[in-house]
Amino acid sequence: MVNSVTAPAAPLTAPEGIAPQGVVPQGVEWRLSDAPVPYEVAVAEMEARAAAIAAGEACELVWLLEHPALYTAGTSAEEKDLIAPDRFPVHKTGRGGQYTYHGPGQRVAYVMLDLKRRGPDVRAYVARLESWLIATLARFNVKGEIRDGRVGVWVARPDRGPNAEDKIAAIGVRIRKWVTYHGVSLNVDPDLDHFTGIVPCGISRHGVTSLHDLGQLVSMAEVDMALRASFEEIFGGE
């Protein structure tokens, strides 16, 4: 089941945020998939939607979903970082980055925005994704931080040592014709042991955590509400 809400936007009669002929699409559509979405299905949908946005035929989209347990290999992935190649399906993908895990209990947010309108600056876009995740975590009293040379959002773990920290959210993007796709993943309550089949993002000296692991026993619905509210703060209503 897929739930979609578009706001603010002119009424559209075509499905999935696609504008009727002659109508300029406005606003950002928010879509929620209740059941896990196969990775290939998600990629095909993202590519189609990004093309429609670039052509001026669809409004922007933030798609919230979960995947079945799987590993993805970004454009910088190194074979040595795939520790357990037979544990879960491995999907090569065109997003930036290295190996990452997706699975139940992890909120994936695929973000399809038009940077021609919002500003054609890739670094600024990634920085806004980081700020979005940090603002979302702050709503649950979790301090997310970024690190030079390490993509994603990190949480200090002083209980384990002065320099201990874990990754709680990953970022991997692709941009075509200045339309973004792929996006971010935030660990709510995934099986953290599933990350041991890879070296997440090529970084072996730090661990992985989640909101539940940090004692924040929030629901996925609460995380979704926080993501949407924080998105509007960071990206505005352009």
Side-chain angles (χ1 to χ4, degrees):
M1 178 180 178
V2 175
N3 302 317
S4 297
V5 178
T6 306
L12 299 178
T13 57
E16 303 295 343
I18 305 300
Q21 187 174 6
V23 175
V24 179
Q26 302 291 325
V28 178
E29 176 189 358
W30 284 79
R31 182 184 303 175
L32 171 64
S33 292
D34 296 325
V37 178
Y39 191 74
E40 304 95 324
V41 172
V43 171
E45 169 66 18
M46 282 191 289
E47 290 179 344
R49 184 56 171 261
I53 293 170
E57 298 170 353
C59 61
E60 297 172 312
L61 173 66
V62 179
W63 185 9
L64 305 178
L65 55 85
E66 292 173 86
H67 284 303
L70 57 88
Y71 298 130
T72 63
T75 54
S76 301
E78 298 184 18
E79 206 61 38
K80 64 180 177 60
D81 290 336
L82 181 59
I83 298 169
D86 299 324
R87 188 172 188 182
F88 298 121
V90 180
H91 298 269
K92 291 186 177 181
T93 180
R95 62 155 176 82
Q98 303 184 44
Y99 281 103
T100 193
Y101 166 78
H102 294 311
Q106 182 190 71
R107 175 52 84 214
V108 174
Y110 287 137
V111 185
M112 285 145 271
L113 300 181
D114 184 358
L115 294 189
K116 292 192 303 294
R117 183 165 62 85
R118 292 176 176 270
D121 186 326
V122 177
R123 290 182 181 273
Y125 171 63
V126 172
R128 293 174 92 180
L129 292 178
E130 293 170 338
S131 297
W132 177 32
L133 289 165
I134 290 170
T136 298
L137 290 168
R139 291 174 181 270
F140 303 112
N141 298 314
V142 172
K143 184 180 180 181
E145 300 176 297
I146 58 174
R147 296 287 182 262
D148 290 340
R150 285 192 259 141
V151 177
V153 177
W154 301 80
V155 177
R157 304 301 301 269
D159 53 308
R160 296 210 310 264
N163 298 313
E165 55 188 5
D166 291 335
K167 191 170 190 176
I168 194 169
I171 298 173
V173 303
R174 188 168 185 182
I175 299 172
R176 182 179 294 169
K177 296 183 178 179
W178 289 111
V179 176
T180 70
Y181 57 113
H182 294 280
V184 305
S185 59
L186 174 61
N187 296 334
V188 180
D189 187 27
D191 186 337
L192 296 179
D193 181 67
H194 290 177
F195 287 88
T196 62
I198 57 172
V199 177
C201 300
I203 300 170
S204 59
R205 63 186 181 277
H206 299 291
V208 180
T209 190
S210 69
L211 284 168
H212 281 219
D213 184 50
L214 295 171
Q216 300 298 323
L217 306 183
V218 297
S219 69
M220 195 67 79
E222 289 173 308
V223 171
D224 291 345
M225 288 188 290
L227 281 167
R228 182 158 186 173
S230 297
F231 182 93
E232 292 171 358
E233 291 176 357
I234 301 302
F235 287 92
E238 299 124 310

